[in-house]
Amino acid sequence: MLLSALRDWARDSPTTAVLGIARSIIRFTVNVIPDPDHPDTADTLEAMRDEHLVLAHAFHSAPGAHR
């Protein structure tokens, strides 16, 4: 159900979907896979998201990326 909703969101509103989907997955992961030894799971996942967004933007902006 979650994946279907996220897919529809990405299709219908790609501008808002990028960060919103990442945040939704982080919230879902934190609630479903809690790690009692690492209470900062959300912070870790958000940092990973930010790093991947930087990489994705760099790749997307690279010369020849739109072929």
Side-chain angles (χ1 to χ4, degrees):
M1 178 72 95
L2 175 65
L3 294 178
S4 177
L6 295 177
R7 183 194 65 229
D8 292 347
W9 187 6
R11 182 193 63 227
D12 297 337
S13 184
T15 304
T16 62
V18 173
L19 289 176
I21 289 173
R23 287 185 187 122
S24 296
I25 291 170
I26 288 169
R27 274 189 241 115
F28 176 79
T29 303
V30 167
N31 289 323
V32 173
I33 310 171
D35 185 352
D37 296 329
H38 299 92
D40 62 342
T41 302
D43 294 335
T44 301
L45 292 172
E46 287 172 354
M48 290 171 60
R49 176 206 60 205
D50 294 343
E51 291 170 9
H52 285 91
L53 284 174
V54 169
L55 292 172
H57 286 284
F59 179 78
H60 181 73
S61 301
H66 298 284
R67 292 185 184 175

